């Protein structure tokens, strides 16, 4: 029995959440490995990761695999997720 998700959840929530999830895991690994509980990921590194995901998943992969589709909304959601992560880590994530 398959559960059908709403279109907005099925198509966009994962794009919104992927950057914060990757960055939260990265932040905790970096804090542990540097032994610095106050370490924060720079805005440059966050924007780089958002750009990397946008290029790979919205430009490169759609050219080679039919499962992937290029969508500008996904790109916007990557960056919104990155900016939200930036502010969350400032609030002591």
């Amino acid at each position: 029995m398959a559960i059908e998700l709403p279109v907005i959840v099925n198509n966009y929530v994962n794009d919104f959440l992927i950057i914060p999830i990757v960055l939260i895991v990265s932040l905790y690994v970096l804090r542990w490995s540097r032994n610095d509980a106050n370490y924060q990921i720079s805005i440059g590194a966050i924007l780089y990761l958002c750009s990397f995901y946008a290029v790979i998943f919205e430009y490169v992969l759609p050219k080679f695999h039919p499962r992937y589709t290029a969508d500008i909304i996904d790109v916007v959601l990557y960056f919104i997720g990155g900016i939200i992560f930036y502010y969350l880590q400032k609030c002591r994530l």
Side-chain angles (χ1 to χ4, degrees), residues 1 6 14 74 87 91 93:
M1 180 175 162
N14 59 340
D74 293 347
Y87 287 109
C91 297
L93 192 72

Side-chain angles (χ1 to χ4, degrees), residues 21-51:
I21 290 170
V22 168
L23 287 171
I24 286 170
V25 170
S26 300
L27 179 64
Y28 283 108
V29 168
L30 286 166
R31 284 180 176 173
W32 171 78
S33 67
R34 293 172 180 254
N35 200 23
D36 181 0
N38 296 316
Y39 182 80
Q40 293 188 351
I41 298 174
S42 70
I43 188 69
I46 295 168
L47 293 175
Y48 175 80
L49 183 70
C50 294
S51 300

Side-chain angles (χ1 to χ4, degrees), residues 3 14 26 28 37 52-53 61 65 67 82:
I3 297 174
N14 59 340
S26 300
Y28 283 108
F52 179 78
Y53 268 73
L61 287 177
H65 200 285
R67 182 195 184 295

